[in-house]
Amino acid sequence: MTVKSGYVSIVGRPNAGKSTLMNAFLDFKLSAVSRKVQTTRNKIQGILTGKDHQIIFVDTPGVLEPKYEMQQYMKKEIKTSFKDTDLILYLIDGSNIVMKDLQKIEKDYKKDFAKHKRIIALNKCDKLSEEQIFDKIATLRQELGIENIITVSAATKLNLDILKKVIIENLPEGDFYYDDETLTDKPEKFFVSEIIREKILELYEEEIPYSVHVDVREFKVRDEGQKDYINADIILERETQKMIILGKRGEMIKKLGELARTDIEAFVGKEVYLKLFVKVRKDWRKDHRFLKNIF
Ligand SMILES: Nc1nc2c(ncn2[C@@H]2O[C@H](COP(=O)(O)OP(=O)(O)OP(=O)(O)O)[C@@H](O)[C@H]2O)c(=O)[nH]1
Ligand SMILES: [Mg+2]
């Protein structure tokens, strides 16, 4: 039996549906998803193992022009994901095609795209009519000079079987990198902090979600029948943001805690006790020392 395995970097503009797509392939909610842009900050592996194939998906932050230090670190995450990749899966949001941004990406990432095999998928096709899909593909071909485009929907799993087949066809032959039970490269703690951040993206408006870093300080696994104990810091950029995170009489943070706890429990498969603390680290998004620690 020939065995194929390799790395597949999922890249695209913010909000294209990269994390949703990886989760759909894994059939597991691994990576944080939200309707807001810039949900993903770190590259995250999601490993899909079959009888004769192992696809190591690498979910990456959305491509954007860095405006402050943290976004430079995010961009570096995309760049390093290309280093050892076997394949680039480039995802375009079919419901929101901004041609000048897509053209800029073709230009900025020209070398990376030329160096690796690339599969291009048009996502969110569940939102489009057949005619619209046809038109958009024609425009993309013309404006970007790209050829094959696979139409998919990460949300409804439309054509994901076809996409998976094409991915496997393009992977090199070779032994698995991980055993068949490994799902990701990141520790459980990381996903706990991502779940909390995902709920912050859901609950709060404007700058708040972007000013937040979540640090899981303690994760005590306790014996069967006892709840695990998790203690996490919500780190903000300014004192004034504290009031917003807490809400009137602490109502918002209570809601946040409840929503996060429910999802953390689904993720770890048991009941947890979640304690949240709010702290301020001034302008941490521009602070290299801090960023080096968290990236
Ligand atoms: N209708 C529809 N919505 C989708 C589809 N895929 C993703 N979405 C939605 O699009 C939004 C963004 O999805 P994400 O998976 O977080 O996008 P992303 O590319 O990872 O975004 P960043 O991490 O910010 O770069 C969410 O609200 C998803 O539910 C799809 O195929 N169809
Ligand atoms: Mg994402």
Short mmCIF file of all heavy atoms in Angstrom, two decimals, residues 26 30 45-49 54-56 177-186:
data_model
loop_
_atom_site.label_atom_id
_atom_site.label_comp_id
_atom_site.label_asym_id
_atom_site.label_seq_id
_atom_site.Cartn_x
_atom_site.Cartn_y
_atom_site.Cartn_z
N LEU A 26 -11.56 17.91 9.96
CA LEU A 26 -11.25 17.12 11.15
C LEU A 26 -12.50 16.57 11.82
O LEU A 26 -12.43 15.70 12.66
CB LEU A 26 -10.48 17.96 12.17
CG LEU A 26 -9.15 18.54 11.74
CD1 LEU A 26 -8.58 19.42 12.85
CD2 LEU A 26 -8.15 17.44 11.38
N LEU A 30 -11.64 22.40 16.44
CA LEU A 30 -10.31 22.59 17.00
C LEU A 30 -9.95 24.07 17.03
O LEU A 30 -9.60 24.64 18.05
CB LEU A 30 -9.29 21.82 16.15
CG LEU A 30 -7.86 21.82 16.65
CD1 LEU A 30 -7.73 21.03 17.95
CD2 LEU A 30 -6.92 21.22 15.61
N GLN A 45 -1.83 23.33 13.88
CA GLN A 45 -1.93 22.10 13.09
C GLN A 45 -3.19 21.32 13.45
O GLN A 45 -3.54 21.21 14.61
CB GLN A 45 -0.73 21.19 13.38
CG GLN A 45 0.56 21.67 12.76
CD GLN A 45 1.69 20.69 12.98
OE1 GLN A 45 1.49 19.55 13.41
NE2 GLN A 45 2.90 21.12 12.68
N GLY A 46 -3.81 20.79 12.42
CA GLY A 46 -4.93 19.86 12.59
C GLY A 46 -4.62 18.64 11.75
O GLY A 46 -4.48 18.73 10.54
N ILE A 47 -4.44 17.49 12.41
CA ILE A 47 -3.91 16.31 11.71
C ILE A 47 -5.02 15.32 11.39
O ILE A 47 -5.74 14.86 12.28
CB ILE A 47 -2.81 15.65 12.57
CG1 ILE A 47 -1.72 16.69 12.88
CG2 ILE A 47 -2.20 14.45 11.86
CD1 ILE A 47 -0.84 16.34 14.06
N LEU A 48 -5.16 15.03 10.12
CA LEU A 48 -6.20 14.11 9.65
C LEU A 48 -5.53 12.85 9.11
O LEU A 48 -4.82 12.88 8.12
CB LEU A 48 -7.01 14.79 8.53
CG LEU A 48 -8.18 14.00 7.95
CD1 LEU A 48 -9.26 13.79 8.99
CD2 LEU A 48 -8.76 14.71 6.74
N THR A 49 -5.77 11.75 9.83
CA THR A 49 -5.12 10.50 9.43
C THR A 49 -6.13 9.50 8.90
O THR A 49 -7.15 9.24 9.53
CB THR A 49 -4.37 9.89 10.64
OG1 THR A 49 -3.49 10.89 11.18
CG2 THR A 49 -3.56 8.68 10.24
N GLN A 54 -1.95 10.84 5.58
CA GLN A 54 -1.99 11.73 6.75
C GLN A 54 -1.81 13.16 6.25
O GLN A 54 -0.77 13.51 5.70
CB GLN A 54 -0.89 11.38 7.75
CG GLN A 54 -0.95 12.25 8.99
CD GLN A 54 -0.06 11.72 10.11
OE1 GLN A 54 1.16 11.77 10.00
NE2 GLN A 54 -0.67 11.22 11.17
N ILE A 55 -2.88 13.95 6.42
CA ILE A 55 -2.81 15.35 6.01
C ILE A 55 -2.62 16.20 7.26
O ILE A 55 -3.44 16.16 8.18
CB ILE A 55 -4.12 15.80 5.31
CG1 ILE A 55 -4.53 14.81 4.21
CG2 ILE A 55 -3.96 17.21 4.74
CD1 ILE A 55 -5.91 15.09 3.62
N ILE A 56 -1.51 16.95 7.28
CA ILE A 56 -1.30 17.86 8.41
C ILE A 56 -1.69 19.25 7.95
O ILE A 56 -0.92 19.94 7.29
CB ILE A 56 0.16 17.81 8.89
CG1 ILE A 56 0.51 16.36 9.27
CG2 ILE A 56 0.39 18.75 10.07
CD1 ILE A 56 1.97 16.02 9.17
N TYR A 177 3.90 11.36 9.79
CA TYR A 177 4.72 12.14 10.71
C TYR A 177 4.30 11.92 12.16
O TYR A 177 5.08 12.05 13.07
CB TYR A 177 4.60 13.64 10.39
CG TYR A 177 5.26 14.04 9.09
CD1 TYR A 177 4.60 13.94 7.87
CD2 TYR A 177 6.57 14.51 9.09
CE1 TYR A 177 5.21 14.31 6.69
CE2 TYR A 177 7.19 14.89 7.92
CZ TYR A 177 6.51 14.79 6.71
OH TYR A 177 7.12 15.15 5.55
N TYR A 178 3.01 11.67 12.34
CA TYR A 178 2.46 11.53 13.70
C TYR A 178 1.73 10.20 13.80
O TYR A 178 1.29 9.64 12.80
CB TYR A 178 1.45 12.65 13.99
CG TYR A 178 2.06 14.02 14.05
CD1 TYR A 178 2.13 14.83 12.91
CD2 TYR A 178 2.56 14.53 15.25
CE1 TYR A 178 2.67 16.11 12.96
CE2 TYR A 178 3.10 15.80 15.32
CZ TYR A 178 3.16 16.59 14.18
OH TYR A 178 3.70 17.85 14.24
N ASP A 179 1.56 9.70 15.04
CA ASP A 179 0.74 8.49 15.18
C ASP A 179 -0.72 8.86 14.90
O ASP A 179 -1.08 10.03 14.89
CB ASP A 179 0.93 7.86 16.57
CG ASP A 179 0.41 8.71 17.69
OD1 ASP A 179 -0.77 9.12 17.63
OD2 ASP A 179 1.18 9.00 18.62
N ASP A 180 -1.54 7.85 14.68
CA ASP A 180 -2.88 8.15 14.15
C ASP A 180 -3.84 8.72 15.20
O ASP A 180 -4.99 9.00 14.91
CB ASP A 180 -3.48 6.93 13.43
CG ASP A 180 -3.57 5.72 14.32
OD1 ASP A 180 -3.27 5.84 15.54
OD2 ASP A 180 -3.92 4.64 13.81
N GLU A 181 -3.37 8.87 16.43
CA GLU A 181 -4.25 9.46 17.45
C GLU A 181 -3.96 10.94 17.69
O GLU A 181 -4.72 11.61 18.38
CB GLU A 181 -4.08 8.71 18.77
CG GLU A 181 -4.33 7.23 18.59
CD GLU A 181 -5.03 6.59 19.76
OE1 GLU A 181 -4.60 6.85 20.90
OE2 GLU A 181 -5.98 5.84 19.51
N THR A 182 -2.87 11.43 17.12
CA THR A 182 -2.51 12.83 17.36
C THR A 182 -3.38 13.74 16.51
O THR A 182 -3.52 13.55 15.31
CB THR A 182 -1.02 13.06 17.03
OG1 THR A 182 -0.26 12.10 17.76
CG2 THR A 182 -0.57 14.46 17.43
N LEU A 183 -3.97 14.74 17.16
CA LEU A 183 -4.88 15.64 16.45
C LEU A 183 -4.22 17.00 16.16
O LEU A 183 -4.54 17.65 15.18
CB LEU A 183 -6.15 15.84 17.29
CG LEU A 183 -7.25 16.71 16.69
CD1 LEU A 183 -7.85 16.05 15.47
CD2 LEU A 183 -8.32 17.03 17.71
N THR A 184 -3.30 17.40 17.02
CA THR A 184 -2.72 18.74 16.86
C THR A 184 -1.34 18.83 17.51
O THR A 184 -0.92 17.91 18.22
CB THR A 184 -3.67 19.80 17.47
OG1 THR A 184 -3.14 21.10 17.21
CG2 THR A 184 -3.83 19.61 18.97
N ASP A 185 -0.67 19.94 17.25
CA ASP A 185 0.65 20.16 17.82
C ASP A 185 0.61 21.00 19.09
O ASP A 185 1.55 21.07 19.83
CB ASP A 185 1.56 20.86 16.81
CG ASP A 185 0.99 22.22 16.37
OD1 ASP A 185 -0.25 22.36 16.32
OD2 ASP A 185 1.78 23.13 16.08
N LYS A 186 -0.52 21.68 19.30
CA LYS A 186 -0.59 22.62 20.43
C LYS A 186 -1.17 21.92 21.67
O LYS A 186 -1.99 21.01 21.57
CB LYS A 186 -1.52 23.78 20.05
CG LYS A 186 -0.93 24.67 18.94
CD LYS A 186 -0.45 25.99 19.52
CE LYS A 186 -0.07 26.99 18.48
NZ LYS A 186 1.24 26.76 17.86
#
